[in-house]
Amino acid sequence: MQRRALVVGLGIAGMSAAIGLRQAGWRPVIVERATERRRGGYFVGLMPQGRQAAADLGIAGHLHTRNPPGGGKAYSLTRRGNREPGLGFLHQPGAPAAVVRGDIEAALWQGIRRDGTSEPVDVRFATKPVEIDDTGTDVRVLLENTGTGAWRRESFDLVVGADGLRSSVRRMVFGPHEDFMTTWDAMICAFQLQAQVPSFAAADSVISAREGRGAWVFGFADLPPTALLTYRTGDVEGQFAGSTIERLRTAFSDMDDPVVRHALDSLEQAPDFLFDSVHQVKMPRWSRERVVLVGDAAWCLNLYSGMGATFALRGGAELGRALRESPGDLGVALTAWESRLRPAITRHQRLARMKQQLFVPSSRPAEALRSVVLRLACAARERRLAKARAAGGSTP
Ligand SMILES: Cc1cc2nc3c(=O)[nH]c(=O)nc-3n(C[C@H](O)[C@H](O)[C@H](O)COP(=O)(O)OP(=O)(O)OC[C@H]3O[C@@H](n4cnc5c(N)ncnc54)[C@H](O)[C@@H]3O)c2cc1C
């Protein structure tokens, strides 16, 4: 009989896992507590491993990418507000694909709806698990419809917790958030701009970073840019009290440059935005018997790593592969799956600390060092481009 898996969360990790499971011959059911799909969203740079996972999941053809020609132009603003050539997110090695989160979501949605002869995945909105009981032979899950308040108990062969940073599956099965979530004393606010920063071209990326604060504008080929404001704070809890825009205005009060001004003014008009604290999730093991966590629920790398979406895709694709390779033994499959992913995830969790300095330097010396490193890297890139042009090659 076809085995059934409950996937909790209709995010990138959940849909990837559902497709991976279906490829392995399982019948996944996705429950999502929201009442509808989450579209649009912030800039995501998808790295080669993520693009390969998208291909493995059969959704690469659905993925709309928005890279400006040649990676686009990036500028840094100096302390005086003057622009100088800079390095944007898209200029890093690996040539990331520029997308918004919703582009990956839309591609995966097409993937779970139909796949050749496969049945569409059963997706239930406004539904969340309230009890998870692993009996040793199956997992009995009490599901709540948050619209009607109705409860229903169902039995599954596997539960996949893909319910993000503050995963309820992790809390119910593995332990409280404090056991696994590390706090980074930093905040982020990400949103779509209606228009580019005045005097910059539509697809430009513009960065302004000072001690403890960073403002990033990510340009696209065919969409107004998205903005990211990030700052460090010793009082994370306090940041959630009162008006978000006032919090941000206070945090950025002595940075009166065109990027910060434009971003803060645009935020006042933004129909929605993401405002949250920054964490990483660290767990000694991502599965317990018949329950496994994927994506941010298991290993949240956080936005500074720039790898969360990439590994959410890869986690699902690899889960499918491991289940295909060990169809008769779930324990063996989950162990193989974790041992394939963990070394890279551990490496990127460590690297994220260093990358955080690029987004938001921790001190004045770190800010100065960051500027020097970026100027040198930018000059090296210019030399490479000039050489490629002279040789008549393409410009990366
Ligand atoms: C500003 C920003 C920039 C980023 N930039 C990049 C980047 O450049 N490159 C990159 O690779 N990654 C980036 N990331 C990270 C990436 O977006 C995430 O790692 C990835 O989207 C996580 O996906 P997920 O499916 O694990 O979690 P989520 O997207 O959080 O999805 C979890 C889902 O579970 C649902 N859910 C939660 N609780 C329940 C429940 N109890 N019952 C049912 N459903 C539930 C939620 O509603 C949601 O739909 C960025 C993140 C941010 C915030």
Side-chain angles (χ1 to χ4, degrees):
M1 208 175 73
Q2 201 178 24
R3 280 168 300 173
R4 290 178 82 222
L6 176 71
V7 178
V8 182
L10 186 75
I12 297 173
M15 285 193 274
S16 302
I19 296 173
L21 282 156
R22 192 174 58 186
Q23 288 174 337
W26 286 61
R27 189 148 61 89
V29 174
I30 303 181
V31 292
E32 165 58 50
R33 75 174 167 194
T35 52
E36 56 183 35
R37 290 167 57 197
R38 186 155 49 106
R39 300 162 203 250
Y42 45 80
F43 168 93
V44 170
L46 202 54
M47 301 306 286
Q49 292 177 349
R51 296 202 297 275
Q52 181 57 51
D56 295 344
L57 293 167
I59 60 143
H62 303 310
L63 186 64
H64 179 68
T65 58
R66 304 172 186 274
N67 292 59
K73 291 203 169 114
Y75 297 96
S76 286
L77 294 192
T78 64
R79 276 197 164 245
R80 290 167 183 233
N82 299 325
R83 70 172 78 176
E84 55 183 36
L87 278 186
F89 194 95
L90 297 177
H91 296 142
Q92 62 180 302
V99 296
V100 290
R101 180 194 173 278
D103 293 323
I104 307 176
E105 192 273 350
L108 286 163
W109 179 257
Q110 290 206 50
I112 62 166
R113 298 318 293 161
R114 56 188 154 76
D115 170 27
T117 55
S118 306
E119 286 291 301
V121 174
D122 178 3
V123 178
R124 303 181 199 163
F125 288 99
T127 306
K128 62 175 192 184
V130 287
E131 260 177 41
I132 300 174
D133 177 21
D134 189 340
T135 66
T137 48
D138 67 351
V139 203
R140 307 223 170 121
V141 185
L142 186 61
L143 294 167
E144 179 185 341
N145 180 313
T146 57
T148 63
W151 287 7
R152 171 190 168 128
R153 202 175 292 275
E154 282 186 52
S155 162
F156 299 91
D157 299 290
L158 174 68
V159 169
V160 180
D163 48 346
L165 176 62
R166 295 176 183 85
S167 163
S168 68
V169 175
R170 191 182 64 225
R171 185 174 44 71
M172 284 189 266
V173 177
F174 295 84
H177 292 329
E178 309 79 77
D179 289 0
F180 307 113
M181 279 172 68
T182 63
T183 296
W184 279 42
D185 293 332
M187 307 297 294
I188 50 158
C189 182
F191 54 100
Q192 174 84 62
L193 293 170
Q194 294 303 315
Q196 178 59 283
V197 182
S199 89
F200 287 89
D204 287 349
S205 290
V206 196
I207 300 141
S208 178
R210 302 277 175 279
E211 172 188 4
R213 285 140 307 149
W216 287 62
V217 166
F218 301 96
F220 294 104
D222 59 358
L223 190 76
T226 65
L228 171 72
L229 295 169
T230 175
Y231 62 96
R232 296 179 187 247
T233 173
D235 175 22
V236 167
E237 282 310 309
Q239 305 309 303
F240 293 104
S243 146
T244 301
I245 179 78
E246 286 315 316
R247 286 272 161 216
L248 285 155
R249 284 207 181 275
T250 306
F252 285 84
S253 56
D254 62 337
M255 276 180 75
D256 186 29
D257 68 39
V259 178
V260 171
R261 257 197 320 271
H262 183 72
L264 288 171
D265 290 347
S266 306
L267 180 59
E268 306 237 15
Q269 315 297 327
D272 56 44
F273 58 83
L274 171 82
F275 180 68
D276 205 354
S277 44
V278 180
H279 305 266
Q280 268 187 349
V281 171
K282 293 197 169 168
M283 302 186 72
R285 175 135 180 129
W286 297 324
S287 64
R288 177 173 288 171
E289 305 297 336
R290 291 176 176 272
V291 180
V292 61
L293 302 173
V294 294
D296 281 6
W299 54 69
C300 179
L301 289 149
N302 80 35
L303 82 152
Y304 301 131
S305 84
M307 296 298 289
T310 286
F311 276 104
L313 283 161
R314 195 168 155 212
E318 290 288 350
L319 182 63
R321 182 177 149 204
L323 291 169
R324 283 198 305 278
E325 288 173 357
S326 303
D329 195 327
L330 186 61
V332 169
L334 293 180
T335 301
W337 168 78
E338 177 156 344
S339 57
R340 262 178 216 149
L341 284 177
R342 193 172 273 280
I345 285 178
T346 304
R347 193 168 65 249
H348 284 289
Q349 284 193 324
R350 291 198 186 117
L351 279 172
R353 272 287 176 205
M354 205 174 70
K355 291 182 181 176
Q356 184 185 21
Q357 294 289 356
L358 292 177
F359 279 91
V360 52
S362 55
S363 61
R364 192 70 191 259
E367 179 190 327
L369 180 63
R370 173 188 179 282
S371 296
V372 173
V373 169
L374 286 178
R375 273 193 197 121
L376 290 173
C378 198
R381 179 171 186 270
E382 289 302 323
R383 280 197 300 277
R384 266 200 322 276
L385 289 179
K387 227 167 155 181
R389 276 194 297 270
S394 64
T395 51

